[in-house]
Amino acid sequence: MPDAFEDADLAAYYDLINDSRADTDFYLGLVLSADAVLDVGCGTGVLLKEARAAGHRGRLVGLDPAEGMLAQARRADGVEWVRGDLGTASFNAEFDLVVMTGHVFQIFLTDDEVREQFAAVRAVLRPDGRFAFETRNPGARAWERWTPEHGTEVVGEGGERVRVEHRVESVVDGLVTMTETFSSPDWPEPRVDRGSLRFTDADHLDALLRETGWAVAERYGSWDRSPLTPTSREIITIARPGPGTG
Ligand SMILES: C[S@@+](CC[C@H](N)C(=O)[O-])C[C@H]1O[C@@H](n2cnc3c(N)ncnc32)[C@H](O)[C@@H]1O
């Protein structure tokens, strides 16, 4: 999605808009069974906060470049919140699990950017660690539902009603470019952000993983761990360092 949530005001609506998440149990189970966990693009930190509340006793680190999102995350203690990305952070082979949730993976728009991310995740992970992330399956054509009729309305902490709508501008070679509009009867004008997401199929994803030294340990098509099919909504991957890498 566009990066409207960098804005501290709009970041306050993120958890309200994404309030019934199907991915929580899946990722929470992984986090609770790992000691040191890095959440890349942690946003408002919802996953790590839940893990701490559920009794995780190890190290939890949330990394995100958007100050607005981190301001929401920092409302909770007990997690290291770090501003930045894998290019700026100075971690070294210290995590048992790296997660990238909420389709953060789709922000990386070229093969080179993805290779950089995969290599960087490898560098912060212990040799026996795992990397879990998902990307929307292009076969499910999610962008066809990103229309104003499918907008969402939430009520902010101040009682203001806010509506969020998406409009797709183009779909070219797996790159979906869209606008995200926030509007409220209480605001003088709507706030519009524009951005692109990349849709990658499983074969191409796996080629990029292999090139960067990863092996796919588990693969699912939805959060209930059912297998990937051509029209599954998600391509969910748990990867581990491949043989001969390290
Ligand atoms: C859709 S939100 C997902 C947040 C969170 N992972 C979740 O599941 O709710 C995407 C997040 O990716 C962050 N982001 C943008 N560019 C990034 C980058 N290069 N590295 C890591 N995170 C990035 C944004 O700031 C935003 O918080």
Side-chain angles (χ1 to χ4, degrees):
M1 293 287 156
D3 257 347
F5 295 112
E6 275 183 28
D7 182 317
D9 297 344
L10 298 182
Y13 301 112
Y14 182 85
D15 287 341
L16 296 170
I17 293 164
N18 298 287
D19 71 336
S20 50
R21 293 183 61 150
D23 63 344
T24 306
D25 288 351
F26 180 90
Y27 281 115
L28 197 55
L30 294 176
V31 173
L32 291 175
S33 63
D35 182 23
V37 181
L38 175 67
D39 184 351
V40 176
C42 65
T44 58
V46 64
L47 174 65
L48 298 184
K49 288 183 210 167
E50 285 210 32
R52 193 59 92 205
H56 189 277
R57 288 169 176 272
R59 184 177 179 210
L60 298 174
V61 181
L63 176 70
D64 200 288
E67 188 51 43
M69 295 296 249
L70 283 181
Q72 295 296 317
R74 287 196 193 103
R75 291 168 143 201
D77 297 328
V79 175
E80 292 171 51
W81 304 114
V82 179
R83 185 167 186 200
D85 56 33
L86 285 171
T88 61
S90 51
F91 305 120
N92 185 25
E94 56 200 272
F95 295 101
D96 302 298
L97 174 70
V98 174
V99 295
M100 206 183 248
T101 72
H103 306 106
V104 169
F105 174 80
Q106 293 187 251
I107 291 169
F108 305 109
L109 301 182
T110 65
D111 283 354
D112 281 346
E113 284 182 54
V114 171
R115 286 189 194 100
E116 266 177 36
Q117 291 299 309
F118 284 171
V121 173
R122 181 69 193 82
V124 303
L125 200 68
R126 291 185 179 139
D128 56 351
R130 293 190 296 171
F131 171 35
F133 67 99
E134 85 288 326
T135 184
R136 295 181 188 87
N137 182 10
R141 305 174 71 83
W143 60 85
E144 291 180 349
R145 297 182 290 280
W146 294 343
T147 59
E149 309 81 75
H150 290 98
T152 310
E153 270 190 30
V154 296
V155 178
E157 283 183 359
E160 72 283 15
R161 274 191 302 120
V162 176
R163 183 171 175 83
V164 188
E165 293 179 354
H166 295 101
R167 283 178 184 76
V168 172
E169 291 181 352
S170 63
V171 182
V172 181
D173 294 336
L175 281 192
V176 176
T177 300
M178 79 200 90
T179 58
E180 184 169 49
T181 303
F182 291 75
S183 58
S184 169
D186 300 320
W187 298 347
E189 55 191 34
R191 295 160 77 162
V192 185
D193 198 47
R194 186 167 180 272
S196 301
L197 290 179
R198 185 185 192 202
F199 282 72
T200 309
D201 67 34
D203 287 346
H204 191 59
L205 181 66
D206 291 351
L208 292 168
L209 281 164
R210 271 193 308 276
E211 275 176 38
T212 47
W214 293 95
V216 175
E218 296 174 48
R219 165 65 45 74
Y220 307 105
S222 76
W223 299 112
D224 61 5
R225 295 185 173 243
S226 52
L228 177 67
T229 70
T231 56
S232 298
R233 285 207 172 193
E234 307 287 348
I235 303 171
I236 301 165
T237 304
I238 301 178
R240 57 178 168 70
T245 63

